[in-house]
Amino acid sequence: MQQHTETEENYLKAIYHLSNVTISSVNTSSIATSMSTTSASVTDMLKKLAEKELINYEKYKGVKITRKGEKVALNIIRKHRLWEVFLTKVLKFEWDEVHTMAEELEHVSSDELIKRLEAYLDFPKFDPHGDPIPDQSGKLELNDQMSLSSGETGAKYTITGVGEHSSAFLKHLAKYGLKPGITVSIAEIMEFDKSMLVKVNKEKFHLSLEVSKNILVKKYGAI
Amino acid sequence: MQQHTETEENYLKAIYHLSNVTISSVNTSSIATSMSTTSASVTDMLKKLAEKELINYEKYKGVKITRKGEKVALNIIRKHRLWEVFLTKVLKFEWDEVHTMAEELEHVSSDELIKRLEAYLDFPKFDPHGDPIPDQSGKLELNDQMSLSSGETGAKYTITGVGEHSSAFLKHLAKYGLKPGITVSIAEIMEFDKSMLVKVNKEKFHLSLEVSKNILVKKYGAI
DNA sequence: ATATTATTTTAGACAAATCTAAAAATAAAA
DNA sequence: TTTTATTTTTAGATTTGTCTAAAATAATAT
Ligand SMILES: [Mn+2]
Ligand SMILES: [Mn+2]
Ligand SMILES: [Mn+2]
Ligand SMILES: [Mn+2]
């Protein structure tokens, strides 16, 4: 059904993700950074993706993903996240262990396989990191979440996801028992460095701004 | 842990399988045929595999797989067959549908993943086609099976596997309800073309020699 | 507005895997 | 044992994805 190389798929996914943080078009160097490669290599690939009409690309003007490219990207992301659910829920991996494996599994081509996997997992709506799973047509329900760093003293919040997916960060959170579903309340916010003291089941932890920024939450009790 | 490309893995697997049908060393053209490529390409790859000490290769003398190469091949086969079990047992695919998907899944690198998958599947010893699944160390119990074509009139046999894995052949067997675990008895063997009449639960089917040759069985009741 | 700096693109090379066509070696036949 | 046929290897190209270094363009500072 699709005829894109694993590399093309990885580039498209990166471009899709960058499109969601960037207001204007995505520039070459940001793609290079996120793919751990050189700008020269990125330029080469951009030409190829443009040729296939997966992106709109103008020399020196950066790149915008097309509807067609977005659909491909969303399908990879769908596979990635469903496999992550499989790895945690069925094979009992920790949420900080699954990303690298899903990075490979997402390229397994069969759409029928992923359809059955989705049904077997009982149509999960979110992956272990709180990220929404696109359906077959590419639709995804984006839950309006906020950063814990913008929370208020005394308020209670439920963790819905993370803004940073590195294993280092996830392991750090795991040490405090912090992950999606857990409820925290802000005990105190330090004026000086915006770090905060949070309470989780009677235990208190000190979180730096760097950390609280990357914890996504919604108000406790909100839908 | 290992640093072999997907292509190298596929070549090694092919060489391993050919080694089990060939008494002497495996020759270039048979590898080319089984890989659907040219002899020239095979020669190139043989040099690379020899360089890595996965095979012993002498110009014009064919190739013998080394212990090291065998271990790599068996690990790929292990993954292939465990994924096939997953696809049939868990995701309810038919046994004639799973091969192509497993062909991709077998290259997913994590050994820990396959270890957990194996445990989740409750340590299956055979794949859906009756082929034995190597354990972590590469050991596999080869069940001494015979071809149905060498069976005797009146005798009862239990299907243990197939000698041909093409989807076409498997679909053909599926039409008669023939697959591993099913018991058949030979009602009659035609002198002329060695075709046979077999009985399966009161139904009778006519099997050509081409077909009966590729059905592997053991005597009914044998261990 | 011009100079300086940063970003992006091209040019040229390389490794991996493949191919076709030609040369070399081996096997089979006469 | 020659000759012929088959198999295997080499030579030379091609495609994909990558790299470094240099050239071109755009952004920023003076
Ligand atoms: Mn990937
Ligand atoms: Mn995730
Ligand atoms: Mn394969
Ligand atoms: Mn099989």
Side-chain angles (χ1 to χ4, degrees), chain B residues 94-100 129 162-178 207-208 210-211 214-215:
Chain B
E94 293 300 316
W95 72 323
D96 54 274
E97 299 177 305
V98 297
H99 185 74
T100 328
H129 311 104
V162 288
E164 145 89 45
H165 290 71
S166 74
S167 180
F169 179 65
L170 299 182
K171 280 202 166 67
H172 182 74
L173 294 191
K175 260 199 301 211
Y176 301 126
L178 298 176
L207 303 180
S208 70
E210 178 68 13
V211 168
N214 285 304
I215 298 176

Side-chain angles (χ1 to χ4, degrees), chain B residues 92-200:
Chain B
K92 308 297 180 193
F93 279 100
E94 293 300 316
W95 72 323
D96 54 274
E97 299 177 305
V98 297
H99 185 74
T100 328
M101 288 179 266
E103 206 57 49
E104 292 183 54
L105 287 162
E106 70 188 359
H107 303 289
V108 173
S109 58
S110 170
D111 283 335
E112 178 63 21
L113 166 51
I114 217 65
K115 225 170 108 179
R116 298 230 190 165
L117 184 65
E118 181 184 37
Y120 177 68
L121 298 170
D122 205 20
F123 302 91
K125 288 280 163 288
F126 298 96
D127 85 0
H129 311 104
D131 295 311
I133 297 172
D135 69 13
Q136 272 191 78
S137 67
K139 271 195 280 288
L140 47 79
E141 57 183 78
L142 28 103
N143 53 354
D144 59 311
Q145 45 196 7
M146 54 181 279
S147 172
L148 179 61
S149 62
S150 56
E152 290 162 18
T153 310
K156 267 176 99 175
Y157 300 95
T158 302
I159 299 178
T160 54
V162 288
E164 145 89 45
H165 290 71
S166 74
S167 180
F169 179 65
L170 299 182
K171 280 202 166 67
H172 182 74
L173 294 191
K175 260 199 301 211
Y176 301 126
L178 298 176
K179 61 178 166 180
I182 298 289
T183 295
V184 306
S185 63
I186 301 180
E188 189 184 349
I189 301 178
M190 312 300 161
E191 192 59 46
F192 176 63
D193 63 356
K194 307 289 183 200
S195 66
M196 55 173 64
L197 225 56
V198 298
K199 222 171 79 177
V200 187

Side-chain angles (χ1 to χ4, degrees), chain A residues 10 103 106-107:
Chain A
N10 284 333
E103 207 57 49
E106 69 187 2
H107 302 288

Side-chain angles (χ1 to χ4, degrees), chain A residues 4 8 11-12 15 42-59 62-66 68-69:
Chain A
H4 311 108
E8 286 172 340
Y11 269 97
L12 264 183
I15 293 167
V42 172
T43 303
D44 286 344
M45 180 56 78
L46 294 186
K47 288 177 191 163
K48 244 183 63 180
L49 294 176
E51 193 59 47
K52 294 192 174 185
E53 296 185 310
L54 297 164
I55 58 171
N56 289 317
Y57 167 58
E58 270 190 283
K59 268 191 185 184
V63 63
K64 276 204 172 76
I65 197 162
T66 63
K68 187 180 167 192

